[in-house]
Amino acid sequence: MQFTDEHLLFRKTVRSFLENEVVPHIDEWEEAGQFPAHELLPKLAQIGALGLEYDPKYGGQGADHSYTVIFAEELGHCLCAGVAMGISVQSDMATPSLATFGSEYLKETYLKPALTGEAVVSIAVTEPDAGSDVASIRTTAVQDGDSWVINGTKLYITNGYQADWICLVTRTSDPIPGQPYSGMAQIIVPTNTPGFSVSRKLRKMGNLSSDTAELVFDDVRVPLNHVIGEDGQGFQQQMLQFQRERLMATYMTVSGMRVALKRTIQYLKDRHAFGKPLITNQYLAYELAELTAEVDLLREYSYACADAVMRGEDVTRQATIAKLKAGRLVRRVADTCIQYHGGIGYMEETWTSRYYRDARLLSIGAGADEVMLRILTQIYGIHA
């Protein structure tokens, strides 16, 4: 991937913004259990960082995917996955279907305020009994006159506590026999609609500065025209959003691993033991060299994925591989960084502690490792 002077200027702008508006507040937001989305997102919109690839008619920038790569890398550079996740849900996880398949009315009413940061948004797929198996979702939307009446519960919903509207994946009809993924839709649900509630804000192991909630829909009524795209195509549309989510997660994670390894190498250069810098220990140096090489390989692969996106190719296979490998590699990197920092690395005051906690999620969220492998067995034709 080739970056131009315009790309470099955008990277500099985003990095400066994050260094001034995010990094100084990370500890405060981690302690609070959420970042102030309604304050931060409009500022991001002002520098043109929301809706990078979306139509300028609705507040997007009309850029290509390479700018999304840069934005994600800079989010990862902060080494605070909670804030990065909350922002990326807004920019690249809850809004792609709306931007691609939504009606003019929905784009004007819901996409525009999302891209200005005026409205905080979320994507609701997972349920208490249906996570990676999207076909098992039980939330229903039943037509009643000119409305959908929605009932069900969604779990582990990022930005759910602060969201102004939800991109909800729900059943609108029974599946066609032999086609378990039929009969679904994506529906926009404003959170001020009667019957909608946040039943609880969830406490997590990591990603503490991103609010995560359980949502309840109790006879929630929204107009029929709140369906994104075509009724019955909700699963297919959500799979496309998942590809975007997995690529974003990979770009952010690769960038974060590079920063984490560089910081750890510098720490070992500065830290002396037994009369010499720790970095002179050949075992430590070789381990870091190998991890850095693996991160470098994954970075090049992620750039190849981005190039494929810009060529308009189906990147299901590449995104699945990238996400799987990133989730596994970041766990090794985080564990190594905290180990090589020793006792100080285990302290809350050190970045390694937060990085270690945050790293574990990628192998679970956006499709667990086992789901990625299941997809790959189907793609490669090696399933039973």
Side-chain angles (χ1 to χ4, degrees):
M1 177 171 289
Q2 298 293 320
F3 293 121
T4 66
D5 288 343
E6 187 175 347
H7 286 112
L8 297 178
L9 178 59
F10 177 66
R11 185 184 295 279
K12 182 179 180 181
T13 300
V14 175
R15 183 169 297 188
S16 177
F17 175 89
L18 295 173
E19 287 177 346
N20 288 288
E21 299 289 343
V22 173
V23 174
H25 306 291
I26 287 174
D27 289 340
E28 172 192 349
W29 295 344
E30 288 276 295
E31 184 68 25
Q34 68 183 51
F35 74 97
H38 285 94
E39 297 176 18
L40 185 65
L41 293 176
K43 296 178 182 178
L44 268 172
Q46 289 174 6
I47 65 167
L50 294 182
L52 285 166
E53 300 179 51
Y54 298 156
D55 191 334
K57 178 180 179 180
Y58 307 107
Q61 303 302 313
D64 64 33
H65 190 65
S66 62
Y67 286 87
T68 298
V69 174
I70 292 172
F71 182 47
E73 287 181 332
E74 292 309 307
L75 289 174
H77 192 270
C78 295
L79 293 186
C80 180
V83 176
M85 175 184 288
I87 292 172
S88 60
V89 165
Q90 181 89 7
S91 65
D92 290 274
M93 299 181 193
T95 48
S97 283
L98 177 56
T100 303
F101 303 106
S103 66
E104 183 71 14
Y105 164 75
L106 289 179
K107 290 178 183 178
E108 285 285 345
T109 307
Y110 296 104
L111 184 59
K112 265 190 175 181
L115 300 187
T116 62
E118 177 186 352
V120 177
V121 305
S122 182
I123 172 72
V125 181
T126 302
E127 298 180 2
D129 296 315
S132 298
D133 183 10
V134 179
S136 297
I137 65 171
R138 298 180 181 179
T139 297
T140 60
V142 177
Q143 186 173 347
D144 181 30
D146 59 358
S147 298
W148 296 107
V149 180
I150 303 169
N151 284 280
T153 302
K154 295 292 182 178
L155 191 61
Y156 312 135
I157 308 304
T158 302
N159 288 0
Y161 191 75
Q162 300 186 76
D164 295 295
W165 62 257
I166 307 289
C167 175
L168 175 73
V169 179
T170 181
R171 283 212 166 275
T172 53
S173 64
D174 293 332
I176 299 170
Q179 300 180 35
Y181 302 112
S182 60
M184 299 186 196
Q186 291 176 313
I187 299 178
I188 297 291
V189 180
T191 58
N192 62 359
T193 307
F196 172 86
S197 64
V198 176
S199 63
R200 56 186 172 129
K201 186 178 179 182
L202 303 172
R203 298 178 62 187
K204 309 184 296 293
M205 169 184 166
N207 286 258
L208 301 182
S209 49
S210 107
D211 65 273
T212 306
E214 180 179 47
L215 312 179
V216 174
F217 302 81
D218 183 11
D219 285 340
V220 173
R221 301 182 73 96
V222 298
L224 295 180
N225 64 1
H226 276 214
V227 170
I228 299 173
E230 184 180 345
D231 182 18
Q233 294 298 306
F235 176 83
Q236 291 81 356
Q237 291 172 191
Q238 183 53 42
M239 291 305 103
L240 293 175
Q241 285 200 143
F242 275 150
Q243 301 314 320
R244 184 62 169 255
E245 179 176 353
R246 289 163 186 165
L247 287 176
M248 279 292 290
T250 299
Y251 303 147
M252 291 190 292
T253 300
V254 169
S255 176
M257 287 190 289
R258 296 180 74 225
V259 174
L261 288 169
K262 286 180 180 179
R263 287 189 180 184
T264 300
I265 291 167
Q266 187 59 55
Y267 176 79
L268 295 181
K269 289 180 177 179
D270 296 338
R271 175 72 170 173
H272 285 65
F274 307 107
K276 55 186 178 181
L278 280 171
I279 197 65
T280 60
N281 183 305
Q282 194 175 71
Y283 176 81
L284 304 185
Y286 282 6
E287 283 288 302
L288 289 168
E290 183 169 2
L291 284 173
T292 301
E294 292 191 36
V295 171
D296 197 21
L297 281 170
L298 186 56
R299 186 188 192 207
E300 293 304 313
Y301 187 80
S302 71
Y303 283 172
C305 292
D307 285 333
V309 170
M310 289 188 286
R311 292 193 298 269
E313 298 176 8
D314 180 355
V315 295
T316 300
R317 175 180 59 83
Q318 296 98 316
T320 303
I321 293 170
K323 194 267 188 189
L324 171 69
K325 292 300 183 181
R328 293 188 167 184
L329 183 55
V330 73
R331 287 149 62 183
R332 291 174 53 204
V333 169
D335 188 69
T336 300
C337 290
I338 204 168
Q339 180 70 24
Y340 288 3
H341 276 76
I344 190 64
Y346 195 68
M347 298 297 105
E348 279 292 313
E349 65 194 73
T350 310
W351 64 270
T352 49
S353 179
R354 179 179 67 247
Y355 185 66
Y356 183 83
R357 293 194 312 271
D358 288 353
R360 192 60 185 83
L361 179 62
L362 186 55
S363 283
I364 300 172
D369 283 0
E370 294 74 18
V371 174
M372 299 300 98
L373 290 168
R374 184 173 186 268
I375 293 171
L376 291 176
T377 61
Q378 295 170 340
I379 291 174
Y380 293 140
I382 56 178
H383 60 292

